[in-house]
PDB file of all heavy atoms in Angstrom:
ATOM      1  N   LEU A  59     224.751 133.109 188.182  1.00 66.00           N
ATOM      2  CA  LEU A  59     225.103 132.835 189.568  1.00 66.00           C
ATOM      3  C   LEU A  59     224.004 133.222 190.548  1.00 66.00           C
ATOM      4  O   LEU A  59     223.969 132.730 191.662  1.00 66.00           O
ATOM      5  CB  LEU A  59     226.392 133.560 189.949  1.00 66.00           C
ATOM      6  CG  LEU A  59     227.670 132.944 189.412  1.00 66.00           C
ATOM      7  CD1 LEU A  59     228.865 133.766 189.853  1.00 66.00           C
ATOM      8  CD2 LEU A  59     227.826 131.511 189.873  1.00 66.00           C
ATOM      9  N   ASP A  60     223.101 134.110 190.136  1.00 67.00           N
ATOM     10  CA  ASP A  60     222.063 134.537 191.072  1.00 67.00           C
ATOM     11  C   ASP A  60     220.875 133.579 191.106  1.00 67.00           C
ATOM     12  O   ASP A  60     219.942 133.788 191.874  1.00 67.00           O
ATOM     13  CB  ASP A  60     221.598 135.952 190.762  1.00 67.00           C
ATOM     14  CG  ASP A  60     221.046 136.095 189.356  1.00 67.00           C
ATOM     15  OD1 ASP A  60     221.345 135.239 188.504  1.00 67.00           O
ATOM     16  OD2 ASP A  60     220.315 137.057 189.124  1.00 67.00           O
ATOM     17  N   THR A  61     220.899 132.524 190.305  1.00 70.00           N
ATOM     18  CA  THR A  61     219.735 131.635 190.275  1.00 70.00           C
ATOM     19  C   THR A  61     220.104 130.150 190.362  1.00 70.00           C
ATOM     20  O   THR A  61     219.339 129.310 189.952  1.00 70.00           O
ATOM     21  CB  THR A  61     218.917 131.857 188.987  1.00 70.00           C
ATOM     22  OG1 THR A  61     219.766 131.641 187.866  1.00 70.00           O
ATOM     23  CG2 THR A  61     218.304 133.235 188.948  1.00 70.00           C
ATOM     24  N   PHE A  62     221.249 129.826 190.923  1.00 80.00           N
ATOM     25  CA  PHE A  62     221.594 128.408 191.024  1.00 80.00           C
ATOM     26  C   PHE A  62     221.197 127.867 192.392  1.00 80.00           C
ATOM     27  O   PHE A  62     220.950 128.617 193.334  1.00 80.00           O
ATOM     28  CB  PHE A  62     223.086 128.185 190.749  1.00 80.00           C
ATOM     29  CG  PHE A  62     223.975 128.481 191.915  1.00 80.00           C
ATOM     30  CD1 PHE A  62     224.414 127.453 192.729  1.00 80.00           C
ATOM     31  CD2 PHE A  62     224.381 129.766 192.209  1.00 80.00           C
ATOM     32  CE1 PHE A  62     225.237 127.704 193.810  1.00 80.00           C
ATOM     33  CE2 PHE A  62     225.200 130.035 193.276  1.00 80.00           C
ATOM     34  CZ  PHE A  62     225.631 128.999 194.085  1.00 80.00           C
ATOM     35  N   GLY A  63     221.135 126.553 192.483  1.00 88.00           N
ATOM     36  CA  GLY A  63     220.827 125.900 193.743  1.00 88.00           C
ATOM     37  C   GLY A  63     222.011 125.072 194.213  1.00 88.00           C
ATOM     38  O   GLY A  63     222.773 124.538 193.406  1.00 88.00           O
ATOM     39  N   TYR A  64     222.175 124.974 195.523  1.00 89.00           N
ATOM     40  CA  TYR A  64     223.273 124.229 196.128  1.00 89.00           C
ATOM     41  C   TYR A  64     222.688 123.302 197.181  1.00 89.00           C
ATOM     42  O   TYR A  64     221.949 123.751 198.053  1.00 89.00           O
ATOM     43  CB  TYR A  64     224.255 125.210 196.766  1.00 89.00           C
ATOM     44  CG  TYR A  64     225.383 124.572 197.538  1.00 89.00           C
ATOM     45  CD1 TYR A  64     226.648 124.440 196.972  1.00 89.00           C
ATOM     46  CD2 TYR A  64     225.203 124.107 198.830  1.00 89.00           C
ATOM     47  CE1 TYR A  64     227.691 123.854 197.678  1.00 89.00           C
ATOM     48  CE2 TYR A  64     226.234 123.528 199.547  1.00 89.00           C
ATOM     49  CZ  TYR A  64     227.472 123.400 198.965  1.00 89.00           C
ATOM     50  OH  TYR A  64     228.494 122.820 199.670  1.00 89.00           O
ATOM     51  N   ILE A  65     223.015 122.011 197.081  1.00 94.00           N
ATOM     52  CA  ILE A  65     222.575 121.042 198.087  1.00 94.00           C
ATOM     53  C   ILE A  65     223.806 120.410 198.710  1.00 94.00           C
ATOM     54  O   ILE A  65     224.641 119.837 198.004  1.00 94.00           O
ATOM     55  CB  ILE A  65     221.683 119.941 197.474  1.00 94.00           C
ATOM     56  CG1 ILE A  65     220.429 120.550 196.859  1.00 94.00           C
ATOM     57  CG2 ILE A  65     221.319 118.902 198.547  1.00 94.00           C
ATOM     58  CD1 ILE A  65     219.580 119.556 196.070  1.00 94.00           C
ATOM     59  N   SER A  66     223.922 120.527 200.009  1.00 94.00           N
ATOM     60  CA  SER A  66     224.970 119.851 200.762  1.00 94.00           C
ATOM     61  C   SER A  66     224.365 118.564 201.300  1.00 94.00           C
ATOM     62  O   SER A  66     223.547 118.596 202.219  1.00 94.00           O
ATOM     63  CB  SER A  66     225.459 120.742 201.904  1.00 94.00           C
ATOM     64  OG  SER A  66     226.387 120.043 202.704  1.00 94.00           O
ATOM     65  N   ASN A  67     224.729 117.446 200.701  1.00 96.00           N
ATOM     66  CA  ASN A  67     224.203 116.140 201.099  1.00 96.00           C
ATOM     67  C   ASN A  67     225.173 115.532 202.112  1.00 96.00           C
ATOM     68  O   ASN A  67     226.186 114.937 201.752  1.00 96.00           O
ATOM     69  CB  ASN A  67     224.042 115.240 199.873  1.00 96.00           C
ATOM     70  CG  ASN A  67     223.259 113.994 200.189  1.00 96.00           C
ATOM     71  OD1 ASN A  67     222.460 113.968 201.115  1.00 96.00           O
ATOM     72  ND2 ASN A  67     223.481 112.948 199.408  1.00 96.00           N
ATOM     73  N   ARG A  68     224.858 115.680 203.383  1.00 95.00           N
ATOM     74  CA  ARG A  68     225.778 115.315 204.460  1.00 95.00           C
ATOM     75  C   ARG A  68     225.675 113.832 204.815  1.00 95.00           C
ATOM     76  O   ARG A  68     225.149 113.461 205.856  1.00 95.00           O
ATOM     77  CB  ARG A  68     225.531 116.188 205.668  1.00 95.00           C
ATOM     78  CG  ARG A  68     225.886 117.628 205.372  1.00 95.00           C
ATOM     79  CD  ARG A  68     225.895 118.464 206.605  1.00 95.00           C
ATOM     80  NE  ARG A  68     226.431 119.780 206.285  1.00 95.00           N
ATOM     81  CZ  ARG A  68     226.773 120.664 207.191  1.00 95.00           C
ATOM     82  NH1 ARG A  68     226.646 120.392 208.471  1.00 95.00           N
ATOM     83  NH2 ARG A  68     227.251 121.831 206.830  1.00 95.00           N
ATOM     84  N   LEU A  69     226.240 113.029 203.923  1.00 95.00           N
ATOM     85  CA  LEU A  69     226.278 111.588 204.150  1.00 95.00           C
ATOM     86  C   LEU A  69     227.279 111.218 205.236  1.00 95.00           C
ATOM     87  O   LEU A  69     227.135 110.189 205.891  1.00 95.00           O
ATOM     88  CB  LEU A  69     226.669 110.862 202.851  1.00 95.00           C
ATOM     89  CG  LEU A  69     225.700 110.987 201.695  1.00 95.00           C
ATOM     90  CD1 LEU A  69     226.327 110.437 200.416  1.00 95.00           C
ATOM     91  CD2 LEU A  69     224.416 110.257 202.015  1.00 95.00           C
ATOM     92  N   ASN A  70     228.318 112.028 205.391  1.00 94.00           N
ATOM     93  CA  ASN A  70     229.405 111.755 206.322  1.00 94.00           C
ATOM     94  C   ASN A  70     229.556 112.900 207.316  1.00 94.00           C
ATOM     95  O   ASN A  70     229.065 114.002 207.099  1.00 94.00           O
ATOM     96  CB  ASN A  70     230.720 111.600 205.540  1.00 94.00           C
ATOM     97  CG  ASN A  70     230.644 110.467 204.552  1.00 94.00           C
ATOM     98  OD1 ASN A  70     230.374 109.326 204.909  1.00 94.00           O
ATOM     99  ND2 ASN A  70     230.878 110.770 203.282  1.00 94.00           N
ATOM    100  N   ALA A  71     230.293 112.618 208.386  1.00 92.00           N
ATOM    101  CA  ALA A  71     230.592 113.652 209.381  1.00 92.00           C
ATOM    102  C   ALA A  71     231.860 114.367 208.962  1.00 92.00           C
ATOM    103  O   ALA A  71     232.873 113.741 208.647  1.00 92.00           O
ATOM    104  CB  ALA A  71     230.773 113.017 210.750  1.00 92.00           C
ATOM    105  N   TYR A  72     231.795 115.695 208.922  1.00 91.00           N
ATOM    106  CA  TYR A  72     232.954 116.513 208.593  1.00 91.00           C
ATOM    107  C   TYR A  72     232.805 117.854 209.282  1.00 91.00           C
ATOM    108  O   TYR A  72     231.739 118.192 209.780  1.00 91.00           O
ATOM    109  CB  TYR A  72     233.125 116.679 207.080  1.00 91.00           C
ATOM    110  CG  TYR A  72     231.911 117.193 206.347  1.00 91.00           C
ATOM    111  CD1 TYR A  72     231.650 118.549 206.248  1.00 91.00           C
ATOM    112  CD2 TYR A  72     231.024 116.305 205.738  1.00 91.00           C
ATOM    113  CE1 TYR A  72     230.536 119.019 205.572  1.00 91.00           C
ATOM    114  CE2 TYR A  72     229.909 116.762 205.055  1.00 91.00           C
ATOM    115  CZ  TYR A  72     229.679 118.117 204.972  1.00 91.00           C
ATOM    116  OH  TYR A  72     228.569 118.582 204.303  1.00 91.00           O
ATOM    117  N   ALA A  73     233.896 118.584 209.331  1.00 88.00           N
ATOM    118  CA  ALA A  73     233.894 119.879 210.028  1.00 88.00           C
ATOM    119  C   ALA A  73     233.820 121.018 209.028  1.00 88.00           C
ATOM    120  O   ALA A  73     234.390 120.953 207.947  1.00 88.00           O
ATOM    121  CB  ALA A  73     235.159 120.006 210.869  1.00 88.00           C
ATOM    122  N   VAL A  74     233.099 122.057 209.428  1.00 86.00           N
ATOM    123  CA  VAL A  74     232.929 123.247 208.594  1.00 86.00           C
ATOM    124  C   VAL A  74     233.416 124.459 209.379  1.00 86.00           C
ATOM    125  O   VAL A  74     233.088 124.615 210.553  1.00 86.00           O
ATOM    126  CB  VAL A  74     231.434 123.442 208.221  1.00 86.00           C
ATOM    127  CG1 VAL A  74     231.222 124.744 207.472  1.00 86.00           C
ATOM    128  CG2 VAL A  74     230.920 122.261 207.426  1.00 86.00           C
ATOM    129  N   VAL A  75     234.200 125.297 208.720  1.00 86.00           N
ATOM    130  CA  VAL A  75     234.554 126.593 209.287  1.00 86.00           C
ATOM    131  C   VAL A  75     233.466 127.548 208.779  1.00 86.00           C
ATOM    132  O   VAL A  75     233.504 127.986 207.636  1.00 86.00           O
ATOM    133  CB  VAL A  75     235.958 127.057 208.823  1.00 86.00           C
ATOM    134  CG1 VAL A  75     236.266 128.446 209.386  1.00 86.00           C
ATOM    135  CG2 VAL A  75     237.019 126.047 209.220  1.00 86.00           C
ATOM    136  N   PRO A  76     232.433 127.817 209.595  1.00 76.00           N
ATOM    137  CA  PRO A  76     231.272 128.556 209.103  1.00 76.00           C
ATOM    138  C   PRO A  76     231.592 129.934 208.544  1.00 76.00           C
ATOM    139  O   PRO A  76     230.979 130.374 207.581  1.00 76.00           O
ATOM    140  CB  PRO A  76     230.347 128.669 210.314  1.00 76.00           C
ATOM    141  CG  PRO A  76     230.907 127.843 211.380  1.00 76.00           C
ATOM    142  CD  PRO A  76     232.312 127.466 211.003  1.00 76.00           C
TER     143      PRO A  76
END
Side-chain angles (χ1 to χ4, degrees):
L59 284 180
D60 59 340
T61 57
F62 80 98
Y64 175 100
I65 299 172
S66 175
N67 191 25
R68 294 191 172 192
L69 296 170
N70 300 303
Y72 54 85
V74 174
V75 177

